[in-house]
C-alpha cells in the first residue's frame, strides 16, 4: 500500500516537473536571422556562397582555402536541402515511459544526450551515405514553421519507425512491397541510400529497443550514477555513446567504434570522442 502511494507521488511529481520544464524551455522567440550575403556559410565542411553562382567571386585572401575540402555553391535551395538532410534530435514528450521513472519527456534535462545523439548520427551518415548525400524529399516536407512542423510533422515521420521498433527487435526498415516500389522509382544506389537513411534514423528512435535511443542511453548512464531526469555532462555522454556503439547488435554496426579522448585535466568539456570506422 505504501509502495503504491509512493508511486502515485512520483507520478504527480513527474507531471509537475514536465509541465514546469515545458513552460520554462518551450517558449519560442521568433527572430529574423541576419547575415551578409557576401560572406560564405560553411555547413559541416561544405561552403555555400550566395552572392553569385560563380565560385571565382569568393574571396579567400589570407586563408589556406586550397587545402579546404569544401564544395562551393551559390544555390540557396542546395543549402536548404543539405541543412534539412541533417538528423535533428531535440526535446520530445509522450514517448514510452523510461524504465525506473515516471518520465515520458526529456524536456529540460536531456539536452546533452540529444546533442550527443546528433554527433553520432552525423558520423554514421558520413560512414554509410557520404557527405555529398542529401535527402531527396528534403524540400517536399511541410512548412518548416517551428511550431507546426515540430508538433505535427515530426510525430508523423517518427510514428511508423517507433511502431516497428516496439513490434520487433530487428525491424524491417522497408517492406518487400515498399522496396520493390522504391527500386522501380530510382536506381540501386539511391535505393541503398534510402534504406540506410531510414535505418540510421530508426537507431535513434525514442523507443526502449532503439540502439541509440534515449531509453538505452539512460540505461548505460546508470553505471555512471546518472538517472532519468538528471543533467548529463558532455564527458558522461561521450562514454555512454561509446558503450552504446560497443553493445549495438546490428550487423551494420560491427567494426564501428567510438574512442573517447581525455587530456586528464578533469574538466568535462575536455572530453572528446571520435567515431572510427
Amino acid at each position: 500500500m505504501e509502495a503504491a502511494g509512493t508511486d502515485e507521488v512520483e507520478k504527480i511529481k513527474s507531471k509537475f516537473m514536465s509541465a514546469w520544464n515545458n513552460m520554462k524551455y518551450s517558449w519560442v522567440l521568433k527572430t529574423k536571422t541576419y547575415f551578409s550575403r557576401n560572406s560564405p556559410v560553411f555547413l559541416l565542411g561544405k561552403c555555400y556562397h550566395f552572392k553569385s553562382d560563380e565560385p571565382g567571386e569568393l574571396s579567400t585572401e589570407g586563408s589556406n582555402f586550397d587545402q579546404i575540402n569544401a564544395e562551393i555553391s551559390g544555390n540557396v535551395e542546395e543549402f536548404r536541402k543539405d541543412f534539412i538532410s541533417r538528423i535533428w534530435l531535440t526535446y520530445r514528450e509522450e514517448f514510452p515511459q523510461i524504465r525506473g521513472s515516471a518520465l515520458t519527456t526529456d524536456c529540460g534535462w536531456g539536452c546533452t544526450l540529444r546533442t550527443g545523439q546528433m554527433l553520432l548520427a552525423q558520423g554514421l551518415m558520413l560512414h554509410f551515405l557520404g557527405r555529398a548525400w542529401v535527402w531527396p524529399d528534403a524540400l517536399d516536407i511541410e512548412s518548416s514553421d517551428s511550431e507546426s512542423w515540430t508538433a505535427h510533422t515530426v510525430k508523423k515521420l517518427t510514428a511508423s519507425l517507433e511502431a516497428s521498433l516496439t513490434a520487433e527487435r530487428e525491424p524491417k526498415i522497408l517492406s518487400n512491397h515498399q522496396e520493390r516500389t522504391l527500386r522501380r522509382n530510382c536506381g540501386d544506389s539511391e535505393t541503398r541510400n534510402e534504406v540506410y537513411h531510414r535505418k540510421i534514423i530508426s537507431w535513434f528512435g525514442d523507443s526502449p529497443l532503439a540502439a541509440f535511443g534515449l531509453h538505452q542511453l539512460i540505461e548505460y548512464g546508470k553505471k555512471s550514477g546518472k538517472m532519468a531526469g538528471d543533467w548529463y555532462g558532455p564527458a558522461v555522454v561521450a562514454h555512454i555513446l561509446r558503450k552504446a556503439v560497443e553493445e549495438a547488435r546490428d550487423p551494420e554496426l560491427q567494426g564501428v567504434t567510438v574512442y573517447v579522448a581525455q587530456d586528464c585535466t578533469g574538466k568535462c568539456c575536455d572530453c572528446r570522442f571520435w567515431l572510427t570506422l
Side-chain angles (χ1 to χ4, degrees):
M1 210 47 197
E2 185 179 343
T6 304
D7 190 49
E8 284 299 317
V9 171
E10 286 299 315
K11 286 183 178 179
I12 293 171
K13 181 181 176 182
S14 173
K15 288 180 180 179
F16 175 78
M17 290 304 298
S18 294
W20 168 250
N21 285 328
N22 281 327
M23 181 178 71
K24 185 177 180 181
Y25 295 102
S26 295
W27 294 109
V28 177
L29 181 62
K30 294 184 178 179
T31 57
K32 189 173 181 180
T33 301
Y34 295 93
F35 63 90
S36 172
R37 295 181 68 87
N38 294 328
S39 300
V41 176
F42 286 86
L43 175 60
L44 297 171
K46 275 193 175 184
C47 176
Y48 293 90
H49 194 246
F50 306 130
K51 179 181 178 182
S52 170
D53 289 334
E54 294 297 326
E57 292 196 20
L58 177 62
S59 174
T60 60
E61 292 181 9
S63 68
N64 297 322
F65 195 79
D66 290 339
Q67 298 176 13
I68 299 175
N69 184 19
E71 177 182 338
I72 303 174
S73 171
N75 191 328
V76 175
E77 292 302 297
E78 286 183 20
F79 172 80
R80 290 185 62 235
K81 201 168 185 177
D82 190 4
F83 184 85
I84 294 171
S85 297
R86 302 310 108 202
I87 295 178
W88 175 48
L89 298 156
T90 186
Y91 293 144
R92 284 188 65 198
E93 57 184 6
E94 298 179 14
F95 49 63
Q97 186 172 310
I98 297 171
R99 191 169 73 175
S101 78
L103 291 170
T104 58
T105 177
D106 65 316
C107 186
W109 57 270
C111 51
T112 312
L113 286 167
R114 296 300 190 180
T115 301
Q117 283 181 317
M118 284 191 284
L119 284 169
L120 180 57
Q122 175 61 16
L124 293 171
M125 285 182 67
L126 287 174
H127 173 56
F128 290 110
L129 303 174
R131 183 61 186 91
W133 181 87
V134 291
W135 185 28
D137 299 326
L139 300 182
D140 296 334
I141 61 175
E142 297 176 32
S143 169
S144 58
D145 175 79
S146 59
E147 293 181 45
S148 63
W149 198 89
T150 302
H152 180 60
T153 311
V154 171
K155 287 185 178 180
K156 288 200 303 182
L157 288 172
T158 57
S160 60
L161 285 170
E162 291 178 357
S164 65
L165 282 165
T166 303
E168 51 183 333
R169 183 164 294 276
E170 294 181 0
K172 295 176 181 177
I173 305 304
L174 287 178
S175 68
N176 291 335
H177 172 72
Q178 288 174 315
E179 190 160 349
R180 284 195 299 270
T181 302
L182 193 59
R183 285 185 182 277
R184 283 198 300 270
N185 296 332
C186 56
D188 288 344
S189 177
E190 290 180 40
T191 301
R192 170 193 171 278
N193 289 342
E194 178 72 11
V195 171
Y196 271 120
H197 184 224
R198 289 171 181 247
K199 177 170 281 196
I200 292 168
I201 292 174
S202 75
W203 289 332
F204 294 89
D206 286 325
S207 161
L209 298 181
F212 309 130
L214 195 72
H215 296 71
Q216 286 285 2
L217 298 186
I218 289 169
E219 286 299 312
Y220 295 126
K222 289 178 180 178
K223 296 175 182 177
S224 300
K226 292 292 184 180
M227 304 296 290
D230 291 345
W231 184 81
Y232 291 70
V236 170
V237 170
H239 286 284
I240 287 174
L241 292 173
R242 179 193 60 77
K243 185 64 175 176
V245 173
E246 182 181 293
E247 296 292 327
R249 292 293 174 260
D250 193 299
E252 299 287 356
L253 292 168
Q254 303 310 302
V256 178
T257 305
V258 166
Y259 284 101
V260 180
Q262 295 173 276
D263 62 4
C264 301
T265 63
K267 297 179 182 178
C268 66
C269 57
D270 291 317
C271 183
R272 299 168 290 275
F273 78 89
W274 284 268
L275 182 70
T276 63
L277 313 162

